[in-house]
Amino acid sequence: MPAYEQSPRFTAVPAPSGWRYKPRRALWENKALRATALILLLALSGLVILALVREQTGTEGFLVGLGLAVLPVPLLVAAFRWMDRVEPKPWRDLVFAFTWGACAATLVALLANGFATKWLLSTVDVSQHADANTWGATFVAPVVEESAKAAGVLLLFLFRRRDFNGIVDGVVIAGITATGFAFTENILYLGNAFASDQNFGYSGMQSTTIATFFIRVLMSPFAHPLFTSMTGIGFGLAATFAPRRRVLRVLVPPAALLIAMTLHGVWNGASALPGFGFLVVYGLFMVPVFGVLTWLTVWSRQNELRTIRTHLPAYQAAGWLTPPEPIALSSMRARGIARHLARRTGGPQAARAVTEYISFATSLAFLRQRAYRGTAGPDFTAREQELLHHLWQRKPIAQPALTHAMPQPHWPTPYAPGQFPPQYAPPAYPPPGHQR
């Protein structure tokens, strides 16, 4: 970094030399302990689910299923990453979500669905309605599978609360979790289809593998992400409610989970309809729901950009940001231009500094939004000052790039300090060289 003004000192947190945001926690809240336990749990689940799937499909069927099931994964992950461009989630959160869906949730669903189907066969008379497999797929599988996937979203909501700010965050986390779940499930279905073709000598257009691939991978790769995104919307909404609205915070996620189960049940039940019943449900119900979800996600992403434009002027008024920055940081196009300018003038390291500056500024805007809603925690001041410190360290490179990215003199109006309680007033920017 080039030489610049010395960073102001804060009294609420340690000196910048040891500036790491680590509030004191109880032993059971230790991050390393939780991470180790989760890694062991997911690794064990992965080994068990691998053995179960291979046992059902055979080695050759497993490899074929794996090769076909992996095809839609990069596209789905890329789509959710595009949704999350305003405030990208840490990769460790996304890796956990995908792994939870692919290993833990799938294992729970596979075991629970098997037990439920056996119970239906042995204790419930379904001869007047449908066979046990259809009943299990329509009424049992949606409850089990959506609950298993929701558990992963819940864990991130509880222990990575800082990364949950609204609907987009919930949809992205839930969608990645469901993508992992669908990946493993597709291996099982495609592997079984291939084994069936091998046993009965089917090939060409009669191949069960081709039909399964067309329905699950080409026609409906969004099915599981669509269902579980409903749960994600519930957690995203709960994250926006103030603590005093405890009832809504508790009730909204289960209600959203119930919607996810209902959609899943309708989808599974449609596969048993005669004639073109499945295609009717697909075209008149699932596609419109998917369209509404896409619109809601895009609208929410634009709302995130408005949040940046609304709340960063507080730091402009206090002297931490230059006038063009709130507008530049709330424009995806200006962000891209700033990174390009930094890369062209200072190389990859400068572009990385601009990217980090954008990330910290975005986190700062969402932190202040939580203060505005009344959901900021007691660590608000320490977290705010840490983010400001990181901005200060990168401002020599990032601020000129962002200023050049917004050439038009269209700056925000001055921030009104009275909008927030005094404890949330941003620290004033000292004169150059001044120590606090």
Side-chain angles (χ1 to χ4, degrees):
M1 288 288 179
Y4 203 73
E5 305 166 8
Q6 188 170 358
S7 173
R9 295 180 179 177
F10 300 110
T11 59
V13 288
S17 59
W19 210 315
R20 293 294 299 170
Y21 177 64
K22 292 184 178 180
R24 186 178 299 276
R25 302 181 186 275
L27 177 63
W28 67 274
E29 293 182 324
N30 184 274
K31 290 184 178 180
L33 181 64
R34 293 203 306 262
T36 302
L38 282 174
I39 290 172
L40 291 176
L41 172 63
L42 293 175
L44 179 60
S45 301
L47 291 174
V48 175
I49 195 68
L50 175 64
L52 291 175
V53 172
R54 183 178 174 276
E55 180 183 4
Q56 292 192 31
T57 63
T59 301
E60 190 174 1
F62 172 79
L63 294 176
V64 171
L66 176 64
L68 296 176
V70 77
L71 295 178
V73 172
L75 298 177
L76 290 170
V77 172
F80 286 113
R81 289 292 290 173
W82 176 84
M83 295 178 188
D84 199 35
R85 284 178 63 200
V86 175
E87 189 191 21
K89 300 291 160 292
W91 274 106
R92 59 179 176 271
D93 290 2
L94 301 183
V95 169
F96 167 78
F98 184 89
T99 308
W100 179 274
C103 299
T106 313
L107 178 60
V108 170
L110 189 62
L111 297 176
N113 287 339
F115 284 126
T117 302
K118 291 179 181 178
W119 178 80
L120 285 171
L121 285 170
S122 61
T123 63
V124 179
D125 181 13
V126 294
S127 59
Q128 301 295 324
H129 305 281
D131 58 39
N133 289 328
T134 301
W135 275 63
T138 304
F139 298 104
V140 177
V143 175
V144 172
E145 295 177 8
E146 294 307 321
S147 298
K149 289 181 284 183
V153 183
L154 175 63
L155 287 174
L156 287 174
F157 180 80
L158 293 177
F159 296 105
R160 299 291 298 173
R161 180 64 184 82
R162 185 191 301 177
D163 299 327
F164 257 94
N165 292 301
I167 292 175
V168 172
D169 300 326
V171 169
V172 170
I173 293 297
I176 294 292
T177 304
T179 299
F181 184 93
F183 168 65
T184 304
E185 191 179 61
N186 284 341
I187 295 176
L188 180 61
Y189 278 92
L190 290 165
N192 282 332
F194 179 81
S196 176
D197 289 339
Q198 294 295 99
N199 291 333
F200 293 100
Y202 295 150
S203 62
M205 297 305 296
Q206 292 182 329
S207 171
T208 307
T209 306
I210 293 179
T212 304
F213 179 80
F214 175 77
I215 293 175
R216 298 191 63 87
V217 176
L218 298 181
M219 188 176 177
S220 58
F222 61 84
H224 274 289
L226 173 63
F227 309 146
T228 313
S229 291
M230 300 297 132
T231 304
I233 290 174
F235 280 105
L237 288 174
T240 66
F241 295 141
R244 65 180 181 275
R245 306 178 72 179
R246 186 181 301 274
V247 175
L248 284 176
R249 296 181 72 182
V250 172
L251 294 182
V252 167
L257 175 59
L258 183 61
I259 295 174
M261 294 174 181
T262 302
L263 288 177
H264 197 156
V266 170
W267 174 262
N268 286 359
S271 62
L273 294 176
F276 296 99
F278 173 78
L279 293 178
V280 171
V281 172
Y282 179 86
L284 299 182
F285 184 68
M286 288 299 173
V287 172
V289 171
F290 179 75
V292 171
L293 175 65
T294 303
W295 171 84
L296 178 63
T297 305
V298 172
W299 175 85
S300 298
R301 201 180 86 151
Q302 293 301 315
N303 193 51
E304 288 185 337
L305 293 173
R306 286 192 293 270
T307 296
I308 296 172
R309 183 176 299 194
T310 299
H311 292 284
L312 283 187
Y315 299 97
Q316 176 201 332
W320 288 93
L321 304 178
T322 58
E325 287 183 77
I327 297 296
L329 290 165
S330 63
S331 166
M332 300 304 298
R333 180 176 180 272
R335 289 180 174 201
I337 293 174
R339 286 191 293 265
H340 175 72
L341 289 172
R343 183 179 298 276
R344 191 176 62 186
T345 57
Q349 191 172 12
R352 189 180 310 113
V354 172
T355 299
E356 292 171 348
Y357 187 92
I358 292 171
S359 176
F360 288 124
T362 302
S363 297
L364 193 63
F366 283 108
L367 179 69
R368 181 152 291 275
Q369 182 191 45
R370 291 199 293 273
Y372 180 78
R373 292 171 174 169
T375 60
D379 58 351
F380 171 85
T381 301
R383 174 63 177 156
E384 178 190 48
Q385 294 180 352
E386 183 201 8
L387 291 171
L388 289 172
H389 167 75
H390 289 309
L391 290 180
W392 186 283
Q393 296 300 309
R394 293 157 178 81
K395 63 184 292 185
I397 295 175
Q399 286 189 344
L402 288 166
T403 299
H404 283 88
M406 291 297 297
Q408 298 298 323
H410 181 188
W411 317 137
T413 56
Y415 166 74
Q419 291 181 356
F420 294 93
Q423 65 267 32
Y424 295 133
Y429 177 81
H434 180 69
Q435 297 287 323
R436 284 167 62 96

